[in-house]
């Protein structure tokens, strides 16, 4: 169906986030914003919580000053296998991609009912509340591989599908399969602590599959049956999975 | 040549109307030549008249069928032509079939009942018709044709049965 | 059968516990011609105060609805107070509120007709008008909510070159189908019993009114065949629109119940919302009847304390049913299980919006139960107006609690944030102003009382002597 290459069975792209390594530097947040042409929304909108970050770092504190420990949890679209955001969109703007097994947001189709935003248990979907300006010369940093969104549409992380496609295209041209680690979303690429690992979960030899079998592995809100594609590795001082 | 004239007899209540209808039967006016026009509905049993059949319920059933077909198209036809996977749900979802099916059946049922009324009652029609405004003031009118010579006989008979007035009428625009 | 000129009084019968029978509209008949004249007079006589109010409403709509909405369309939804996690706010509250109000019209017009409650006769049309105009406001509110409202037509299933169709897995599409069915059906159902009254207005009008009524009365005369077809259609509608009414608000409730949010995924939402709709709708009918009775001429003959009494009793029963469903919905999360459901209940009762939650319970339970049991109080129209307003405010708040307040608590506490509405407030006021304006203008064009149904009912009611008491007896002329 969708996708330039059709493998049978299609690859299942997934991610592992090692919370022991994460230092909360938010390089992933910045890189994602640059890669995906995220708007700069200004302090007034930020104050009411309208940040357009496709990945955000949640911070959890434990203990009393001065014995505080902090845990960091980067949360992004979990690309659920049973995504609750998909069946509720009345116009099919949120659909399951067959060839990447992730959840797609079709900007052109979105009419802005925002049901998907409500139904995401991870609250990772963001909405374009306005047309935020991109004054010259900021428009020069736009990534030509990614469209810009106008007011009234929802958006969210799509595992840098533009990078997945580009690598698959290149591999197909060269007549070879995609190597493990060749596709790197912007967040994984930017992380200085190598906390984010990306790859094919359906390949048992890939780095991400092996890490996902780790004893510290857990998934967010797994009990809801969403089948998230992101595995978190519990850190020493983290408070992930909401306790 | 005897000319026919249309007579309209106005009554204030159902009982004298029914007596008048019986009298008209005796005087040779057949049921299908008479028309009863009233400001509130009276059933054919009350008036002693033959039953009027109406197509509206049957048309409504037909509309309900159309609604069901539309619902089946929405749930099975469209995803069959253009399947899209959402949320781990089956491509042909059955519970939404009941929901959409119910709504479409009801819409078809009521929509065609409404249009059927227009069709059966031949609405809207603005051509001249036999009518007097007193009818919407709650009176009951008995309208029938009779020959010119017989007019005084009919008039006397109906007035003696309690008609408020008996007069010839012509079709005119309402 | 009652004669049409005199009021029915039986000799040597005692008045019994029901007092003077003439206080009941059905036992106080007047000649149809006189009733026609009364209704038409109330339609024609328009005071300067009326036009003053109309101008005020038009100005309110121009600024608070048209102007504010245009501003919002041009600048985006950012001018509202919506944010993550409250992606749905006051616009959806208004949508659910107005759909709820509209259910009372169908309840009174269809359910009471089917169950042969004769007391419904004089105010079915007032209730049906409330349905139609309430649904207009619901439609406007849902359009206001859309991020790209200029593409709203994509929810219509129509063939197109891009082979794109809407998604029937979505509760919003079920909503779309159900609400459209309901709007179309209730507008048709408003028109059907209106047809004979339009014919009556045509017969008694002159000038532009005569032309107007002549066209829309479609040439209706009242022949046997016409009545037969009309009654057949009305019967089908009366029976069919009742399940549609139940399904519409159930499907609206499923917009929330199908979601994974704490406090929303409740299986009792279907009946809970239907009862809530009846609660707010019946209270709204009380308000509308009071306004009609006090502002339109001759309406005091048609709408009497007995009608407020009946609606008050109904409102009490519905309030008890509402309390039952609310308690169901409250008890289950309170008892334990899901941590976030419990957190949400705590947030409702003790958070910053606790005062609205408490008012909701007072307005929906305490005040109706304190006032509506008393027959003397139920027969005071001004008191029923107050009860109606209190209940309606409480029901609006109920939707406010369910939607933006509940949305504050998510399963990811990092995203919790309070909702502060901004442009939603003038837009809400605009929808109320538009409702009132449409109603006021309709009262100039549409006979507010279905006189033919009142006469039909009066014909069917007699007084009978059982022993020494006078008893009302109703013949089934239907």
């Amino acid at each position: 169906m969708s996708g330039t290459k059709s493998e049978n069975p299609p690859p299942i792209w997934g991610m592992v986030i090692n919370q022991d390594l994460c230092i909360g530097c938010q390089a992933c947040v910045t890189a994602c914003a640059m890669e995906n042409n995220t708007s700069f929304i200004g302090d007034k909108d930020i104050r009411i919580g309208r940040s357009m970050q496709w990945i955000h770092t949640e911070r959890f504190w434990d203990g009393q000053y001065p014995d505080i420990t902090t845990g960091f949890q980067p949360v992004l679209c979990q690309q659920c296998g049973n995504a609750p955001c998909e069946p509720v969109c009345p116009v099919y703007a949120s659909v399951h991609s067959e060839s990447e097994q992730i959840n797609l947001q079709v900007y052109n189709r979105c009419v802005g009912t925002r049901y998907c935003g409500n139904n995401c248990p991870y609250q990772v979907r963001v909405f374009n509340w306005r047309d935020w300006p991109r004054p010259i010369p900021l428009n020069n940093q736009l990534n030509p591989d990614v469209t810009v969104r106008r007011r009234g549409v929802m958006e969210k992380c799509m595992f840098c599908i533009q990078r997945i496609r580009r690598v698959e295209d290149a591999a197909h041209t060269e007549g070879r399969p995609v190597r493990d680690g060749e596709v790197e979303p912007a967040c994984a690429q930017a992380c200085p602590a190598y906390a984010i690992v990306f790859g094919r979960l359906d390949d048992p030899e890939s780095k991400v599959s092996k890490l996902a079998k780790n004893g510290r592995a857990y998934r967010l809100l797994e009990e809801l049956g969403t089948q998230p594609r992101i595995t978190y590795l519990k850190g020493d001082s983290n408070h992930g999975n909401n306790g | 040549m005897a000319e026919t004239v249309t007579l309209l007899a106005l009554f204030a209540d159902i009982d004298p109307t029914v007596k008048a209808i019986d009298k008209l039967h005796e005087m040779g006016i057949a049921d299908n030549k008479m028309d009863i026009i009233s400001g509130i509905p009276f059933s054919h049993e009350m008036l002693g008249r033959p039953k009027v059949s109406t197509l509206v319920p049957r048309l409504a059933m037909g509309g309900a069928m159309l609604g069901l077909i539309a619902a089946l198209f929405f749930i099975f036809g469209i995803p069959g032509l253009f399947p899209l996977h959402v949320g781990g749900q089956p491509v042909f979802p059955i519970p939404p079939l009941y929901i959409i099916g119910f709504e479409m059946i009801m819409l078809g049922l009521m929509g065609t009942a409404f249009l059927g009324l227009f069709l059966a009652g031949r609405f809207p029609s603005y051509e001249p018709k036999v009518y007097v405004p007193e009818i919407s003031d709650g009176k009951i009118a008995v309208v029938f044709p009779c020959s010119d010579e017989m007019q005084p006989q009919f008039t006397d008979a109906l007035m003696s049965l309690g008609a408020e007035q008996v007069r010839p009428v012509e079709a005119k625009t309402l | 059968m009652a004669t049409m000129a005199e009021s029915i009084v039986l000799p040597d019968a005692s008045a019994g516990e029901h007092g003077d029978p003439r206080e009941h509209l059905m036992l106080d008949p007047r000649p149809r011609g006189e009733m026609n004249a009364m209704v038409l007079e109330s339609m024609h006589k328009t005071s300067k105060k009326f036009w003053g109010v109309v101008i005020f409403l038009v100005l309110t709509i121009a600024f608070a609805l048209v102007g504010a909405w245009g501003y919002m369309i041009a600048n985006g939804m950012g001018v509202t107070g919506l944010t993550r996690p409250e992606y749905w706010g006051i616009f959806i509250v208004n949508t659910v509120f107005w759909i709820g109000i509209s259910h009372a019209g169908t309840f009174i017009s269809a359910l009471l007709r089917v169950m042969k409650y004769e007391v419904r006769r004089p105010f079915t049309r007032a209730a049906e008008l409330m349905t139609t105009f309430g649904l207009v406001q619901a439609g406007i509110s849902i359009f206001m909510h859309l991020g790209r409202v200029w593409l709203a037509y994509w929810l219509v299933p129509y063939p197109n070159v891009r082979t794109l169709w809407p998604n029937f897995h979505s509760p919003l599409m079920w909503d779309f189908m159900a609400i459209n069915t309901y709007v179309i059906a209730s507008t048709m159902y408003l028109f059907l019993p209106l047809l004979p009254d339009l014919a009556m207005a045509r017969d008694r009008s002159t000038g532009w009114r005569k032309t107007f009524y002549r066209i829309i009365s479609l040439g209706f005369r009242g022949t046997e065949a016409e009545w037969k077809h009309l009654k057949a259609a009305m019967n089908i509608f009366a029976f069919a629109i009742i399940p549609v009414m139940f399904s519409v608000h159930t499907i609206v409730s499923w917009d929330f119940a199908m979601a994974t949010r704490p406090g929303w995924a409740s299986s009792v939402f279907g009946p809970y919302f239907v009862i809530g709709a009846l609660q707010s709708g019946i209270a709204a009918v009380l308000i509308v009847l009071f306004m009609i009775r006090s502002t339109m001429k001759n309406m005091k003959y048609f709408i009497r304390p007995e009608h407020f009494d009946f609606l008050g009793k109904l409102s009490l029963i519905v309030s008890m049913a509402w309390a039952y469903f609310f308690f169901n919905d409250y008890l289950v999360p309170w008892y334990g299980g899901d941590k976030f459901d419990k957190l949400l209940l705590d947030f409702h009762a003790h958070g910053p919006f606790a005062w609205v939650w408490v008012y909701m319970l007072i307005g929906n339970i305490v005040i109706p139960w304190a006032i509506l049991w008393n027959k003397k109080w139920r027969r005071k129209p001004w008191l029923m107006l107050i009860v109606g307003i209190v209940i309606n405010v409480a029901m609006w708040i109920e939707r406010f609690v369910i939607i933006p307040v509940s949305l504050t608590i998510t399963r990811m506490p990092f995203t919790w944030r309070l909702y502060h509405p901004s442009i939603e407030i003038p837009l809400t006021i605009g929808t109320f102003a538009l409702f009132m304006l449409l109603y006021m203008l309709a009262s100039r064009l549409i006979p507010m009382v279905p006189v033919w149904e009142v006469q039909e009912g009066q014909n069917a009611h007699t007084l009978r002597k059982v022993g020494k008491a006078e008893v009302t007896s109703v013949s089934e002329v239907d």
Side-chain angles (χ1 to χ4, degrees):
Chain A
M1 274 235 9
S2 49
T4 50
K5 313 287 162 278
S6 43
E7 270 187 52
N8 211 356
I12 302 179
W13 295 100
M15 195 183 267
V16 167
I17 298 180
N18 193 333
Q19 289 181 266
D20 205 26
L21 295 175
C22 175
I23 52 174
C25 69
Q26 307 208 54
C28 52
V29 177
T30 319
C32 170
M34 296 300 106
E35 169 77 12
N36 294 297
N37 302 333
T38 302
S39 307
F40 303 106
I41 69 172
D43 63 317
K44 246 184 35 168
D45 276 330
I46 284 275
R47 256 187 261 267
I48 27 180
R50 291 177 175 163
S51 72
M52 295 296 284
Q53 300 166 342
W54 290 9
I55 177 171
H56 62 271
T57 317
E58 304 197 346
R59 301 172 292 284
F60 299 95
W61 288 267
D62 199 25
Q64 296 282 18
Y65 183 82
D67 301 308
I68 301 184
T69 53
T70 327
F72 299 105
Q73 184 170 42
V75 177
L76 60 156
C77 174
Q78 308 283 300
Q79 312 293 353
C80 308
N82 270 346
C85 61
E86 286 170 7
V88 293
C89 175
V91 287
Y92 277 130
S94 170
V95 290
H96 208 70
S97 130
E98 296 305 310
S99 52
E100 284 89 20
Q101 292 295 305
I102 61 176
N103 169 259
L104 298 175
Q105 178 65 22
V106 184
Y107 307 128
N108 305 21
R109 181 67 171 163
C110 176
V111 287
T113 56
R114 305 191 291 285
Y115 202 157
C116 59
N118 270 339
N119 218 21
C120 174
Y122 308 101
Q123 289 294 292
V124 285
R125 284 175 154 271
V126 289
F127 184 71
N128 284 279
W129 300 101
R130 301 181 208 268
D131 282 324
W132 286 288
R134 212 178 287 269
I136 296 169
L138 284 177
N139 56 319
N140 284 331
Q141 81 185 58
L142 288 171
N143 182 352
D145 287 338
V146 179
T147 183
V148 291
R149 287 78 59 188
R150 74 177 304 185
R151 67 180 192 279
V153 301
M154 297 288 295
E155 57 182 48
K156 68 169 189 78
C157 161
M158 274 185 277
F159 273 179
C160 283
I161 191 173
Q162 65 277 9
R163 294 185 176 204
I164 299 176
R165 296 277 173 84
R166 194 187 311 135
V167 167
E168 284 179 338
D169 266 346
H172 180 83
T173 314
E174 291 166 22
R176 58 163 177 87
V178 174
R179 290 186 286 268
D180 181 39
E182 198 178 352
V183 180
E184 253 195 320
C187 50
Q189 183 186 18
C191 177
Y194 301 106
I196 302 181
V197 178
F198 187 78
R200 285 178 59 157
L201 289 172
D202 57 312
D203 176 3
E205 298 304 310
S206 70
K207 188 170 176 199
V208 75
S209 297
K210 290 189 188 149
L211 279 175
K213 294 202 201 75
N214 192 298
R216 293 183 290 132
Y218 74 94
R219 276 157 211 93
L220 289 180
L221 302 180
E222 199 171 7
E223 65 275 11
L224 294 179
T226 49
Q227 296 175 11
R229 302 284 190 243
I230 300 184
T231 307
Y232 288 80
L233 302 183
K234 236 176 185 199
D236 183 25
S237 60
N238 93 61
H239 306 274
N241 205 25
N242 299 306
Chain B
M1 281 289 254
E3 285 189 6
T4 39
V5 65
T6 311
L7 282 183
L8 183 145
L10 265 184
F11 295 87
D13 211 346
I14 181 89
D15 291 316
T17 313
V18 171
K19 291 206 193 76
I21 295 174
D22 288 338
K23 184 81 184 158
L24 287 175
H25 285 153
E26 279 173 38
M27 292 173 80
I29 308 285
D31 265 323
N32 60 357
K33 291 263 187 289
M34 262 192 267
D35 210 353
I36 318 288
I37 315 178
S38 54
I40 56 172
F42 292 103
S43 68
H44 67 273
E45 292 103 342
M46 289 180 202
L47 293 168
R49 299 261 293 156
K51 184 173 169 152
V52 182
S53 69
T54 172
L55 263 185
V56 170
R58 261 163 290 182
L59 287 172
M61 285 298 137
M65 286 284 103
L66 287 176
L68 178 61
I69 292 172
L72 289 171
F73 172 68
F74 290 149
I75 301 290
F76 291 111
I78 295 174
L81 291 168
F82 311 108
L84 281 171
H85 289 218
V86 283
Q89 291 188 0
V91 172
F92 304 112
I94 300 299
L97 170 68
Y98 295 132
I99 300 168
I100 302 290
F102 171 77
E103 297 300 335
M104 292 285 98
I105 287 172
M106 285 306 176
L107 183 61
L109 180 79
M110 288 192 270
T112 42
F114 189 71
L115 294 173
L117 169 67
F118 281 58
L119 196 71
R122 298 187 188 16
F123 294 133
S125 73
Y126 301 113
E127 60 216 23
K129 296 187 203 169
V130 172
Y131 184 71
V132 290
E134 285 88 340
I135 291 171
S136 59
D137 274 348
K139 307 276 187 261
I140 311 172
V142 182
V143 181
F144 60 97
C146 78
S147 59
D148 224 354
E149 309 107 35
M150 297 287 285
Q151 188 183 331
Q153 277 169 286
F154 278 107
T155 310
D156 289 332
L158 293 175
M159 292 297 282
S160 68
L161 284 173
E164 290 187 350
Q165 44 168 296
V166 183
R167 61 174 205 256
V169 283
E170 281 181 0
K172 55 182 186 348
T173 48
L174 297 172
Chain C
M1 204 176 320
T3 60
M4 297 186 214
E6 312 150 15
S7 194
I8 314 150
V9 172
L10 293 182
D12 75 87
S14 56
E17 59 184 43
H18 298 290
D20 182 5
R22 272 212 304 280
E23 69 171 10
H24 297 289
L25 173 65
M26 292 290 117
L27 296 173
D28 183 19
R30 290 205 193 159
R32 170 77 178 271
E34 192 182 327
M35 291 199 292
N36 285 345
M38 286 163 76
V39 169
L40 288 178
E41 190 190 6
S42 77
M43 203 165 64
H44 293 167
K45 273 241 177 311
T46 312
S47 63
K48 282 212 186 65
K49 229 175 21 170
F50 178 91
W51 293 116
V53 174
V54 164
I55 290 173
F56 172 73
L57 290 174
V58 168
L59 287 173
T60 308
I61 292 166
F63 285 103
L65 190 61
V66 178
W69 193 5
Y71 177 71
M72 190 171 75
I73 294 179
N75 291 294
M77 304 300 292
V79 300
T80 65
L82 297 165
T83 178
R84 183 177 70 184
E86 292 93 10
Y87 281 116
W88 287 3
I90 282 183
F91 298 138
I92 300 289
V93 171
N94 287 344
T95 307
V96 180
F97 176 77
W98 285 115
I99 296 178
I101 293 234
S102 72
H103 276 32
T106 312
F107 182 83
I108 285 167
S109 190
L111 193 59
L112 295 187
R113 181 190 300 267
V114 160
M115 295 173 66
K116 300 200 197 288
Y117 272 81
E118 300 289 317
V119 73
R120 63 156 180 101
R121 285 186 184 265
F123 54 89
T124 52
R125 183 149 316 133
E128 282 159 10
L129 282 173
M130 215 177 68
T131 295
T132 307
F133 297 142
L135 287 170
V136 169
Q137 309 319 314
I140 288 178
S141 297
I142 195 67
F143 280 127
M144 276 188 217
H145 165 79
L146 290 176
R148 295 207 291 174
V149 61
W150 50 93
L151 298 170
Y153 65 92
W154 281 352
L155 271 87
V156 178
Y158 68 99
N160 53 77
V161 289
R162 294 159 300 177
T163 71
L164 293 172
W165 294 85
N167 174 15
F168 287 99
H169 297 245
S170 169
L172 294 181
M173 276 311 294
W174 309 341
D175 246 357
F176 181 76
M177 291 295 168
I179 294 174
N180 277 317
T181 302
Y182 190 50
V183 169
I184 295 170
S186 24
T187 309
M188 294 193 280
Y189 190 44
L190 168 68
F191 184 74
L192 287 179
L194 182 57
L195 197 52
D197 286 310
L198 292 175
M200 178 273 287
R202 166 199 67 204
D203 295 338
R204 285 171 158 253
S205 296
T206 52
W208 67 268
R209 278 186 183 269
K210 182 154 181 100
T211 318
F212 173 67
Y213 291 121
R214 192 155 69 80
I215 295 174
I216 59 171
S217 61
L218 310 178
F220 183 84
R221 288 184 290 162
T223 61
E224 283 176 277
E226 286 173 1
W227 278 118
K228 181 83 184 191
H229 301 311
L230 184 65
K231 293 218 94 174
M234 271 171 57
N235 251 349
I236 292 174
F237 268 80
F239 279 95
I241 208 169
I242 295 168
V244 171
M245 170 187 85
F246 278 96
S247 74
V248 165
H249 224 64
T250 307
I251 290 175
V252 166
S253 81
W254 286 342
D255 288 343
F256 313 114
M258 299 298 135
T260 57
R261 297 287 273 236
W264 272 24
S266 162
S267 55
V268 85
F269 263 22
Y272 178 36
F273 270 60
V274 173
I275 288 293
L278 290 179
Q279 169 108 319
S280 53
I282 291 169
V285 173
L286 286 171
I287 300 175
V288 164
L289 288 189
F290 177 88
M291 298 308 297
I292 288 177
R293 217 181 100 100
S294 37
T295 58
M296 288 174 72
K297 261 183 94 71
N298 300 320
M299 285 296 130
K300 287 206 166 79
Y301 167 74
F302 290 105
I303 299 176
R304 303 184 174 204
E306 59 170 334
H307 302 121
F308 289 94
D309 182 17
F310 172 76
L311 288 170
K313 267 190 278 192
L314 201 52
S315 188
L316 180 61
I317 295 171
V318 171
S319 163
M320 290 178 176
W322 185 89
Y324 163 76
F325 281 111
F326 174 83
F327 188 62
N328 261 277
D329 193 49
Y330 182 88
L331 182 68
V332 173
W334 176 86
Y335 201 83
D338 192 271
K339 172 170 84 172
F340 288 100
D341 282 342
K342 267 192 97 105
L343 272 170
L344 182 65
L345 281 189
D346 198 53
F347 182 69
H348 280 168
H350 302 115
F353 285 111
W355 61 279
V356 289
W357 185 84
V358 169
Y359 177 82
M360 170 182 81
L361 292 175
I362 292 177
N364 277 329
I365 302 179
V366 175
I367 292 191
W369 293 17
I371 295 183
L372 295 176
W373 60 272
N374 186 318
K375 184 180 180 125
K376 270 216 295 285
W377 293 349
R378 284 198 304 262
R379 296 172 71 88
K380 291 191 200 303
W382 62 267
L383 188 58
M384 298 309 289
L385 168 76
I386 293 174
V387 170
I389 293 176
V390 163
I391 292 180
N392 260 323
V393 170
M395 283 310 296
W396 192 93
I397 285 176
E398 187 231 33
R399 279 81 177 228
F400 184 80
V401 165
I402 289 179
I403 304 171
V405 177
S406 288
L407 286 177
T408 308
I409 305 297
T410 73
R411 291 207 165 81
M412 306 289 283
F414 198 78
T415 59
W416 293 358
R417 185 167 242 99
L418 286 183
Y419 171 64
H420 300 288
S422 68
I423 208 174
E424 293 96 315
I425 296 173
L427 284 169
T428 306
I429 294 173
T431 61
F432 278 91
L434 182 58
F435 178 81
M436 286 192 268
L437 179 71
L438 287 173
Y439 213 100
M440 287 175 80
L441 294 178
S443 75
R444 301 300 91 201
L445 285 174
I446 294 180
M448 194 54 75
V449 176
V451 194
W452 72 270
E453 290 202 75
V454 172
Q455 188 201 351
E456 194 188 25
Q458 287 174 339
N459 275 9
H461 279 68
T462 49
L463 277 177
R464 212 160 67 105
K465 264 187 72 177
V466 177
K468 285 222 169 125
E470 273 180 341
V471 186
T472 312
S473 171
V474 187
S475 329
E476 274 200 29
V477 291
D478 240 326

